[in-house]
């Protein structure tokens, strides 16, 4: 099975990325709307019925923690959306059979930066969440070597694409 | 690029058009235009051989070195 071009593995992965992109867009939008709704409810607690308020209290969730949680989830999805969006465009060039386009260098660098931002943002967010909802387990701010390895690999890949784009340009202008 | 291509001068001397040379050499007019305007990054020996054969000249008549800044690869897809 071919790796590049129409009907190849790249084109199959591009389709998957398209579906993920749409799902993430909906998720990020829904998260943003929920954050707004939570802000409205916190500002005006009478909107929440007594049972729901008691449920939240029983789970150890306060209004601010809920808003921060939802806003963080939306932001996370928005950043992942940027990554998936750039990946889609890269895979579109792979599907077209022409991967070494100069635009792919910038796309890979953006992906690298977004991965780094996601990883760096995880630490203060986990600390904040642990402070706001101490009963909730799962918020760990430990160093993730795999994530940093991935960031470095993406930046190295961007340089590989840069070299590929340079060679492609030279081949185009060789008479 | 410090390498200057003097194809237009030779064509003028030989009273030959670019499309005629392209036909004789077996290179597209678009590629020959890239070469003539100095945008080419490299010339194959086979192309140079065909050019010299059809124009009755030496490689040194087609290209010349003039000191100047080199072109580097630009990520915008152009040569700076």
């Amino acid at each position: 099975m071919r790796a590049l071009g129409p009907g190849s593995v790249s084109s199959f992965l591009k389709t998957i990325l398209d579906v993920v992109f749409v799902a993430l867009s909906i998720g990020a939008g829904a998260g943003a709307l929920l954050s707004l709704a939570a802000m409205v409810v916190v500002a005006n607690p009478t909107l929440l019925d007594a049972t729901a308020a008691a449920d939240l209290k029983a789970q150890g969730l306060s209004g601010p923690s809920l808003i921060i949680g939802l806003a963080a989830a939306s932001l996370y999805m928005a950043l992942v959306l940027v990554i998936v969006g750039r990946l889609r465009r890269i895979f579109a060039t792979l599907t077209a059979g022409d991967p070494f386009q100069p635009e792919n260098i910038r796309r890979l660098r953006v992906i690298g930066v977004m991965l780094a931002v996601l990883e760096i943002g995880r630490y203060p967010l986990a600390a904040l969440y642990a402070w706001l909802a101490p009963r909730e387990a799962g918020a760990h701010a430990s160093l993730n070597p795999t994530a940093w390895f991935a960031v470095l690999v993406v930046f190295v890949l961007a340089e590989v694409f840069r070299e590929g784009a340079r060679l492609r340009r030279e081949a185009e202008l060789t008479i | 690029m410090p390498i200057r291509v003097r194809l237009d001068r030779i064509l003028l001397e030989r009273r030959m058009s670019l499309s005629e040379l392209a036909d004789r050499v077996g290179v597209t007019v678009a590629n020959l235009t890239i070469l003539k305007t100095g945008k080419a990054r490299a010339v194959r020996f086979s192309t140079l051989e065909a050019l010299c054969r059809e124009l009755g000249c030496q490689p040194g008549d087609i290209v010349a070195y003039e000191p100047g800044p080199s072109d580097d690869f630009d990520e915008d897809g152009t040569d700076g």
Side-chain angles (χ1 to χ4, degrees):
Chain A
M1 197 171 186
R2 288 181 307 136
L4 299 176
S8 63
V9 179
S10 304
S11 121
F12 172 66
L13 291 174
K14 162 84 169 54
T15 310
I16 293 174
L17 285 167
D18 286 343
V19 174
V20 172
F21 186 79
V22 171
L24 274 171
S25 303
I26 294 168
L33 283 175
L34 280 172
S35 306
L36 280 174
M39 277 184 224
V40 171
V41 168
V42 168
N44 194 358
T46 52
L47 289 172
L48 207 64
D49 71 36
T51 329
D55 273 355
L56 283 176
K57 214 167 191 175
Q59 286 173 26
L61 288 171
S62 62
S65 72
L66 200 64
I67 293 170
I68 288 172
L70 284 168
S74 309
L75 189 67
Y76 179 83
M77 276 193 268
L79 290 175
V80 175
L81 196 68
V82 173
I83 294 172
V84 174
R86 294 300 191 283
L87 269 180
R88 274 175 74 215
R89 288 182 208 160
I90 291 172
F91 273 85
T93 63
L94 300 185
T95 304
D98 187 15
F100 293 122
Q101 293 186 9
E103 294 81 20
N104 281 351
I105 307 165
R106 279 186 292 273
R107 286 170 189 151
L108 277 167
R109 283 181 188 156
V110 168
I111 290 172
V113 169
M114 287 298 137
L115 285 174
V117 167
L118 279 174
E119 188 54 19
I120 290 167
R122 202 171 59 81
Y123 306 126
L125 201 71
L128 190 69
Y129 193 70
W131 179 61
L132 285 168
R135 276 192 258 172
E136 284 290 307
H140 302 294
S142 59
L143 189 78
N144 185 357
T146 313
W148 288 111
F149 185 76
V151 170
L152 292 177
V153 166
V154 169
F155 279 118
V156 169
L157 267 179
E159 286 310 300
V160 171
F161 267 73
R162 189 179 189 282
E163 185 62 15
R166 190 186 66 77
L167 292 172
R168 170 185 178 262
R169 182 87 183 138
E170 291 225 343
E172 275 174 0
L173 293 176
T174 296
I175 313 299
Chain B
M1 168 99 62
I3 298 294
R4 300 268 171 246
V5 178
R6 294 165 171 172
L7 206 55
D8 44 359
R9 199 195 66 190
I10 301 171
L11 283 171
L12 197 71
E13 285 171 5
R14 307 286 191 277
R15 301 194 186 287
M16 193 187 286
S17 70
L18 198 69
S19 56
E20 188 188 342
L21 181 64
D23 278 345
R24 286 191 187 190
V25 172
V27 174
T28 63
V29 175
N31 275 346
L32 222 46
T33 305
I34 290 172
L35 184 64
K36 199 183 84 165
T37 52
K39 288 177 182 161
R41 302 284 300 185
V43 183
R44 290 188 188 91
F45 277 172
S46 56
T47 309
L48 197 58
E49 180 196 328
L51 285 170
C52 290
R53 186 186 64 231
E54 297 303 327
L55 293 168
C57 65
Q58 291 296 314
D61 298 327
I62 299 172
V63 291
Y65 174 76
E66 288 172 17
S70 294
D71 290 347
D72 291 323
F73 172 67
D74 186 337
E75 284 173 25
D76 293 331
T78 56
D79 294 300

